[in-house]
Amino acid sequence: MKTKVMSGVIAFVVVWTILIHAQSHWSPILAYPLYPGEMVSLLVTGGHGGTLTQDKIGFAAELVVNLLAYLLATFLLFRATRFSE
């Protein structure tokens, strides 16, 4: 059960991040949950865009940070509900 949920979280975050970057216009409502990764991406690119290499590294770092944040949140939720039983 845990593995299926974690896999679902991974798939959801990856698809969500790709969809946010594929849009022709930026929607802040959809991007706010991806804020931790966005900040890391801005640190890599310098905030005003960068080279293509920096942009690719920033996207990868954004994806990794968001995955870690949401997997940690899911793990802590599982742990909290296990202790409450």
Side-chain angles (χ1 to χ4, degrees), residues 20-84:
I20 290 297
H21 282 275
Q23 291 182 17
S24 60
H25 65 283
W26 189 71
S27 174
I29 294 293
L30 295 176
Y32 282 142
L34 301 175
Y35 188 76
E38 286 286 332
M39 289 301 101
V40 171
S41 178
L42 286 174
L43 287 172
V44 171
T45 62
H48 296 287
T51 64
L52 184 59
T53 303
Q54 286 175 327
D55 199 35
K56 288 180 181 181
I57 292 170
F59 178 75
E62 175 183 350
L63 191 57
V64 168
V65 168
N66 284 329
L67 283 172
L68 290 176
Y70 281 101
L71 287 174
L72 178 64
T74 305
F75 175 76
L76 292 175
L77 184 65
F78 274 139
R79 193 168 172 122
T81 56
R82 184 184 68 165
F83 286 133
S84 66

